[in-house]
Amino acid sequence: MRWALVKVSLAVTTMVVVAFAVPLGLVIREMARDRAFSNAEREAAAVAPALSITTDRDQLERVVAAAGSDAGMAVHLPAGDGKAALELGRRRAADEDIAAVRELGRASTTGVPGGSTLLQPVALSTGKIAVVEVYVPESDVTNGVGTAWAVLAAVGVALILGSVAVADRLGVRMVRPAQRLVEGAHDLGEGRLGARVPEEGPSELRLAAVAFNSMADQVVQLLANERELAADLSHRLRTPLTVLRLNTASLGEGPAADQTRTAVEQLEREVDTIIRTAREAKPQTVAAGPGAGCDAAEVVRERMAFWSALAEDEGRKWRVAGADRPVRIPVARADLAAALDALLGNVFRHTAEGTAFAVDVHNGEDAVIVLVSDAGPGIPDPETAMARGRGSGSDGSTGLGLDIVRRLAESTGGDVRIGSSVLGGAEVRIWIQLDGGAPPRGGHRQMRRRRPGRLAAVYNRSRSR
């Protein structure tokens, strides 16, 4: 916007300067020409009275010398009364031009090498017509024109530069508040809730800044209310968790009892984390910086070790592939563990006992794919299942688990897709970007076209097994 205003000002000022300077320059040139020929007419008029009285050569030479010079003036007297034609001074005009002036009886100008001549007819006492020739050099015609044009050009350039400077200052006054508004919106979008915009600039931008600051205050208030609500709801879980933890003491010893106690302890820790995070107003998941993240293979092995005991109790066959080598991803360990627990918990919750499941990890150059598949009935409406608060429609399904998985993948620039697995049931595919790019707007299909590398081939082979 700033440069557009400067360009418009430059174009308009340039057109105005050209519209005034060019005609004014032409007028100045014509004025210089008129001045030069007016001086020539005055010199010719100074000789006319002497010609009307006498035609004596000596007297005329003195008059010509007094009026001008032999190099700039000439007098052409016709023959008559037994006298031959007489010419005084340096002649430059052609015979036909002089004869035409005598015949017509009026002054004229004609071009000659180095300038022009003024031919002025003068009536003699004998009735004959003499012609006074005054030479006007080209330097007299253009005298002062170059200086005047240079002054006009300097004034025009100064006007253009001045208009550009004024337009630039006006553009800054208009653009700077708009830039601050954009920066404030960007900061607020990235989670910097203290971002505010100075209420300055044109009236429209001031109103926009006021509206933005009011919106930011409302966002902060809404988030504070949400955090308080999350803390209160989480705190309500402490009482049933305490009862559940006390009841686990009566389970005795054994693998199932130990797993139950471990699960209760983990649940208490998660509730405590939620309460602390909500009270401290800190995000639960932060972007991983250089060198941060976790080993996805290690997390998969750890969580499968936990769920495998329950799978053996329910007679489920399970398989893990691709977790035998380290796979670094830019995701916090706790977040990946929570996402895997959500997906594996869905398998145990929404499929019958004895249903097989598998977890596959595919490591590529720019992304990591984690596949959680089962041999259950599948998910008939994947789009609805991904909607937070709706789920697949079955009892106990709210979509919150899949929403946790989706937010984890999108925080790295990846996505989550639901499809059919080779086991016959549902398959949830987590695409985790390793370069930390922005989440794609076109979903998985757009990413697959943009990154058709070795990982896509591995993924396709895994689906055909």
Side-chain angles (χ1 to χ4, degrees), residues 299-310:
V299 177
V300 168
R301 292 195 303 267
E302 176 185 327
R303 301 319 301 157
M304 285 301 295
F306 173 82
W307 290 99
S308 61
L310 183 58

Side-chain angles (χ1 to χ4, degrees), residues 314 316 345-357 374-378:
E314 295 186 359
R316 297 176 182 267
N346 285 342
V347 173
F348 282 83
R349 187 178 302 111
H350 300 295
T351 61
E353 294 186 6
T355 302
F357 65 95
D374 61 68

Side-chain angles (χ1 to χ4, degrees), residues 220-290:
V220 172
Q221 184 61 39
L222 290 174
L223 289 177
N225 295 337
E226 289 288 338
R227 287 192 295 268
E228 289 297 327
L229 179 60
D232 293 342
L233 293 177
S234 301
H235 194 272
R236 295 179 186 180
L237 296 177
R238 285 185 177 275
T239 299
L241 280 176
T242 302
V243 176
L244 184 60
R245 180 170 54 83
L246 294 175
N247 290 338
T248 56
S250 61
L251 296 178
E253 302 296 334
D258 294 339
Q259 292 173 6
T260 303
R261 296 188 187 96
T262 302
V264 172
E265 292 175 357
Q266 181 181 0
L267 185 57
E268 286 183 331
R269 289 194 298 269
E270 294 294 340
V271 171
D272 292 340
T273 301
I274 293 174
I275 294 175
R276 286 195 302 269
T277 302
R279 294 300 185 186
E280 296 174 2
K282 293 181 180 179
Q284 184 175 357
T285 302
V286 296

